[in-house]
């Protein structure tokens, strides 16, 4: 990806000599996105059989596993734990975002999941959106990264962190206990990261959300990538420059992780795409694989791409990144079912990745020819809307990583949706 709006500078960090150097922000360019094409290697099979059932009472969408500081998936006394955005499934699907609550689920075999309840006692925000969960094995406590969101229609978003939950296991199940301290990790600065107020002038959706924790594999620093926008000053929604998605990063400035500083974004899609959602890394063979999800409707005028998992590969936090498969496309929904899944999350599995996602809308197409378009769903009677919505986990996909190329090699239609982990913890 070519060089873009550069926010250069070496930030000092706790006086630590090993601190990561910030560098110029890479761009996902229009020329790269113009290469997007669905191939056998990048197109998911149509979901025909979906044995993943995790809850009878709730819609489930964005989901993440409990991971250690190093990023491996945690298994404690035989139990795996995942966290999901949930909302009561008597709501119409579109209403779920304003009612999203993070709940945890646990399983011994990765197939049969039990509901554990809410992840927090008193989180920040009217409701909570996506995040990540880190378990420090020495402290034996969970760091819950999430997005504290204000009510509709504003949806002001603030990355938040809840510290202090511990895990109690028994042969029967898992319980999260302990008082948690909740704090806001940061707010947009208006220069590297667009504020809600700036985005109002622009008349377009804004984002400052989805913190995903990771430990820098070389310097050991505590970092979090997140979804945001770069202020471009453009106030015209037909101007490609109004499409200004970025992948931001912040760094903890103390060991308790209670204080964070914003660093320049690692990736921008100015003129290309408005939303680079749920960004996350997979470290493989010394390479930094940066993944993000995006929608068809957030591509800038003149570009088209599917609801999909997109990805880039580089040598360090600031790249330089190359889009995977020339364009960035890694997993697209099939043309026959363009909204069948969303919110893909890639997890390392040996030399491959395993990618979980949720089942979104069935039976919709792009065109509204003969079928229903995504825009029309909200106008259907509520029972019909619910009928079309999956609201559960989709079959996970195994994807081979091969330098700058990837290939979907298998669909896990056996009910498992996480990489299998050995005994630990
Ligand atoms: C992706 C997403 C996230 C956000 C959540 C809101 O599916 O848009 O970016 O946290 O869903 O429901």
């Amino acid at each position: 990806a070519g060089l873009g709006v550069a926010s250069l500078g070496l930030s000092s960090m706790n006086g630590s000599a090993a601190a990561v150097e910030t560098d110029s922000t890479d761009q996902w360019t229009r020329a790269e996105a113009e290469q997007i094409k669905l191939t056998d290697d990048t197109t998911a099979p149509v979901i025909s059989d979906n044995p993943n059932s995790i809850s009878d009472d709730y819609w489930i969408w964005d989901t993440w596993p409990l991971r250690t500081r190093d990023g491996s998936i945690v298994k404690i006394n035989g139990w795996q734990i995942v966290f999901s955005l949930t909302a009561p499934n008597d709501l119409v699907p579109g209403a779920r975002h304003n009612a999203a609550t993070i709940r945890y689920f646990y399983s011994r075999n990765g197939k049969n999941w039990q509901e554990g309840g809410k992840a927090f006692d008193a989180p920040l925000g009217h409701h909570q959106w996506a995040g990540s969960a880190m378990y420090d094995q020495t402290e034996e406590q969970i760091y819950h990264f999430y997005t504290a969101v204000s009510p509709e229609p504003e949806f002001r978003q603030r990355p938040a962190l809840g510290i202090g939950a511990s895990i109690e296991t028994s042969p029967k199940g898992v319980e999260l206990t302990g008082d948690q301290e909740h704090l806001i990790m940061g707010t947009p600065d208006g220069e590297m990261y667009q504020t809600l107020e700036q985005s109002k002038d622009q008349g377009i959706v804004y984002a400052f959300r989805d913190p995903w924790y990771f430990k820098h594999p070389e310097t050991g620093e505590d970092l979090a990538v997140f979804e945001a926008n770069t202020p471009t000053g453009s106030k015209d929604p037909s101007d490609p420059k109004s499409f200004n998605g970025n992948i931001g990063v912040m760094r903890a400035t103390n060991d308790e992780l209670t204080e964070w500083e914003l660093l320049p974004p690692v990736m921008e899609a100015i003129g290309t795409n408005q939303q680079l959602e749920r960004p996350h890394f997979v470290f493989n063979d010394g390479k930094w694989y940066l993944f993000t999800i995006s929608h068809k409707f957030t591509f800038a005028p003149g570009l088209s791409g599917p609801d999909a998992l997109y990805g880039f590969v580089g040598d360090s936090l600031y790249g330089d990144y190359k889009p995977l498969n020339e364009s960035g496309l890694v997993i697209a929904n099939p043309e026959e079912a363009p909204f069948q899944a969303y919110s893909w999350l890639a997890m390392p599995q040996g030399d491959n990745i395993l990618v979980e996602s949720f089942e979104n809308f069935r039976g919709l197409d792009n065109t509204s020819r003969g079928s229903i378009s995504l825009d029309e769903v909200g106008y259907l009677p509520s029972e019909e809307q619910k009928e079309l919505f999956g609201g559960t986990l989709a079959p996970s996909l195994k994807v081979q990583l091969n330098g700058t190329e990837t290939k979907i090699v298998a669909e896990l239609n056996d009910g498992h949706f996480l990489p299998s982990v050995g005994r630990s913890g």
Side-chain angles (χ1 to χ4, degrees), residues 94-363:
R96 74 185 197 280
H97 299 288
N98 195 40
T101 302
I102 299 171
R103 287 190 163 75
Y104 67 99
F105 300 86
Y106 51 87
S107 170
R108 270 194 183 286
N109 61 7
K111 271 188 182 185
N112 305 99
W113 291 83
Q114 282 168 266
E115 195 198 313
K118 289 187 185 175
F120 322 105
D121 287 336
L124 299 169
H126 166 267
H127 57 274
Q128 293 76 42
W129 284 354
S132 54
M134 182 266 279
Y135 182 64
D136 185 293
Q137 290 160 301
T138 314
E139 300 165 2
E140 299 190 339
Q141 62 175 350
I142 302 179
Y143 291 77
H144 279 297
F145 296 83
Y146 64 98
T147 312
V149 191
S150 75
E152 200 175 5
E154 190 181 62
F155 285 146
R156 184 182 295 273
Q157 301 148 33
R158 296 180 304 162
L161 173 56
I163 307 175
S166 45
I167 303 172
E168 281 178 21
T169 62
S170 74
K172 291 221 162 111
V174 172
E175 208 184 333
L176 302 192
T177 58
D179 290 336
Q180 296 175 39
E181 179 199 344
H182 288 260
L183 57 98
I184 296 297
M185 299 168 71
T187 53
D189 62 341
E191 285 181 20
M192 297 187 290
Y193 299 104
Q194 187 171 42
T195 63
L196 175 62
E197 286 64 31
Q198 287 171 320
S199 74
K200 277 181 179 158
D201 297 342
Q202 203 175 25
I204 207 161
V205 286
Y206 109 109
F208 199 73
R209 63 173 182 262
D210 301 353
W212 187 87
Y213 170 86
F214 68 105
K215 188 174 99 160
H216 191 295
E218 283 122 39
T219 68
E221 290 161 283
D222 297 292
L223 298 159
V225 275
F226 57 92
E227 170 190 355
N229 299 98
T230 302
T232 58
S234 172
K235 297 200 180 8
D236 171 7
S238 66
D239 174 6
K241 274 228 167 75
S242 293
F243 291 73
N244 58 351
N246 76 32
I247 295 175
V249 61
M250 55 179 116
R251 165 166 63 190
T253 55
N254 64 3
D255 290 342
E256 295 73 36
L257 309 194
T258 54
E259 280 167 30
W260 295 77
E261 65 177 351
L262 295 174
L263 301 181
V266 297
M267 169 75 66
E268 290 173 328
I270 296 173
T272 303
N273 197 307
Q274 173 66 9
Q275 293 200 119
L276 305 180
E277 307 198 272
R278 294 193 75 194
H280 54 281
F281 283 108
V282 168
F283 303 108
N284 180 288
D285 201 15
K287 300 264 182 246
W288 293 59
Y289 283 86
L290 173 59
F291 294 99
T292 185
I293 55 173
S294 199
H295 286 293
K296 180 181 161 62
F297 79 92
T298 56
F299 277 93
L303 291 175
S304 74
D307 275 27
L309 177 73
Y310 294 90
F312 307 86
V313 59
D315 297 325
S316 69
L317 178 60
Y318 283 92
D320 290 337
Y321 287 103
K322 284 202 167 64
L324 295 171
N325 308 314
E326 310 280 330
S327 66
L329 183 64
V330 177
I331 297 177
N333 282 329
E335 259 155 10
E336 311 89 286
F339 304 107
Q340 71 170 14
Y342 194 63
S343 220
W344 296 268
L345 181 80
M347 297 165 284
Q349 186 178 46
D351 274 347
N352 301 316
I353 50 174
L354 191 70
V355 184
E356 60 91 3
S357 62
F358 77 96
E359 204 182 339
N360 198 8
F361 285 101
R362 317 175 181 108

